[in-house]
Amino acid sequence: MKKYLVIGNPIEHSLSPKLHNYWIKENNIKAIYEKKKISENDIEGIINEIKKEKISGINVTVPFKRSIIPFVDELTLAASSTRSINTIFKKNNKIIGDNTDIGGFEQSLKYINYSVKNKKIFILGAGGVTPSVIIGLKNLGASKITLSNRTKKKAEDLKKLFKDLNIINWGQIIDFDMIINTTSLGLKNTDEIKLNYSDIGSNKLFYDVIYNPKETNFLKKAKLSGNKVKNGEMMFIFQAQLSFKIWHN
Ligand code: ATR
């Protein structure tokens, strides 16, 4: 019986085991997928378990997507260009760190037939998932990406990785076609992102990478002022599907 894991902290909220175990059963695969709350000190031991093939693959979530990088042997282009790993496997005796968040994000936009080509995009946040969103947008031909983060230093660090990123102060706003929340604001029902919705206008796309709750206040208010909205559910499902394909083909 092969074993797979999602590691993170916190991890209780993760729906990955439900999804993967469902697909494992559907495909008659002899495997189990579990979740494990870990601390930084546990990473080395878990990677060793993959080396010894006691674990066949892992998903990595907040806050370890970046800090796990030094523990793997090789990064795929997707993982190295984002400095972010969400999927790990062993190939030719090497531990490989990959990133399926980029593909998950891209596929979620294709799924709703939304084209970002030549569009102006406004990103809120500069956390673990943000580089994957940026690369996805670039792959799909977005014309201009502006980013704002409460801690400006983190936005400026991202600009070192993506030179043509336009950075503005937290609380400032610019004209956009699509706005994406990559912050953790919205996980709690009382969380609000302070935006002047009446200044923004209508017919824009508001995208939240959060999928639980299904509708954050960010999306609720956007809808009320006549905008299209999309939560992170399909991004979550597609990144999982891409990991599943890597492990089980
Ligand atoms: P990490 O930063 O460890 O990767 P994350 O959950 O991926 O964690 O990212 C959290 C994001 O949500 C960050 O952009 C964070 O902003 P800071 O860099 O300023 O911390 C943002 N965030 C979290 N709480 C916030 C709040 N109350 N107001 C504004 N932004 C917030």
Side-chain angles (χ1 to χ4, degrees):
M1 175 89 87
K2 287 188 171 176
K3 186 175 162 183
Y4 297 84
L5 272 185
V6 55
I7 57 168
N9 192 351
I11 201 65
E12 294 73 30
H13 68 285
S14 175
L15 295 176
S16 292
K18 253 192 173 160
L19 198 50
H20 279 273
N21 286 322
Y22 176 79
W23 288 331
I24 283 169
K25 201 169 162 210
E26 285 279 292
N27 289 280
N28 293 316
I29 298 166
K30 282 203 174 62
I32 181 136
Y33 186 113
E34 291 168 345
K35 56 183 155 192
K36 190 168 186 181
K37 181 171 154 182
I38 66 155
S39 66
E40 196 88 33
N41 300 333
D42 301 322
I43 294 178
E44 197 173 359
I46 288 180
I47 297 289
N48 272 328
E49 303 248 294
I50 307 176
K51 282 186 184 149
K52 288 188 255 163
E53 292 177 22
K54 286 189 177 158
I55 300 174
S56 301
I58 59 173
N59 278 138
V60 184
T61 187
V62 175
F64 303 115
K65 288 186 179 189
R66 187 177 184 129
S67 55
I68 204 163
I69 291 177
F71 296 92
V72 303
D73 299 320
E74 257 174 38
L75 297 178
T76 61
L77 181 62
S80 68
S81 59
T82 49
R83 313 301 298 150
S84 167
I85 293 175
N86 82 325
T87 306
I88 294 181
F89 55 96
K90 184 176 161 183
K91 191 180 171 184
N92 300 332
N93 251 344
K94 285 196 168 134
I95 306 299
I96 317 284
D98 201 350
N99 174 316
T100 68
D101 287 327
I102 304 173
F105 176 70
E106 288 180 24
Q107 288 191 24
S108 74
L109 291 180
K110 288 183 187 148
Y111 183 78
I112 56 166
N113 277 322
Y114 185 81
S115 167
V116 298
K117 202 163 176 62
N118 300 325
K119 297 250 171 75
K120 295 187 288 280
I121 317 292
F122 185 26
I123 300 177
L124 303 173
V129 77
T130 315
S132 304
V133 168
I134 295 173
I135 297 217
L137 290 168
K138 283 174 165 287
N139 289 346
L140 297 172
S143 67
K144 187 177 178 197
I145 306 174
T146 302
L147 185 142
S148 161
N149 190 54
R150 177 181 61 179
T151 312
K152 200 170 185 183
K153 166 87 172 57
K154 273 163 81 181
E156 280 159 355
D157 287 346
L158 273 180
K159 192 173 163 69
K160 289 179 194 147
L161 216 54
F162 308 104
K163 305 266 186 262
D164 49 1
L165 209 57
N166 178 40
I167 308 290
I168 63 173
N169 289 330
W170 184 246
Q172 256 187 304
I173 194 147
I174 42 110
D175 181 39
F176 61 82
D177 300 300
M178 176 189 189
I179 184 169
I180 307 165
N181 176 37
T182 71
T183 75
S184 48
L185 275 175
L187 286 175
K188 283 186 250 128
N189 281 319
T190 50
D191 284 346
E192 296 262 8
I193 299 176
K194 288 193 183 67
L195 285 176
N196 196 343
Y197 289 83
S198 53
D199 281 354
I200 289 172
S202 55
N203 282 321
K204 321 259 182 191
L205 176 63
F206 279 62
Y207 188 109
D208 203 323
V209 299
I210 294 173
Y211 60 89
N212 187 13
K214 273 186 187 294
E215 197 170 72
T216 56
N217 286 326
F218 173 71
L219 296 187
K220 264 186 200 139
K221 287 192 170 164
K223 222 171 168 179
L224 284 175
S225 36
N227 294 286
K228 285 175 286 202
V229 300
K230 186 78 196 136
N231 71 13
E233 186 171 60
M234 290 317 291
M235 175 177 178
F236 167 69
I237 291 175
F238 282 125
Q239 64 74 30
Q241 194 182 60
L242 291 166
S243 296
F244 192 87
K245 179 155 174 61
I246 289 170
W247 295 326
H248 310 292
N249 199 28

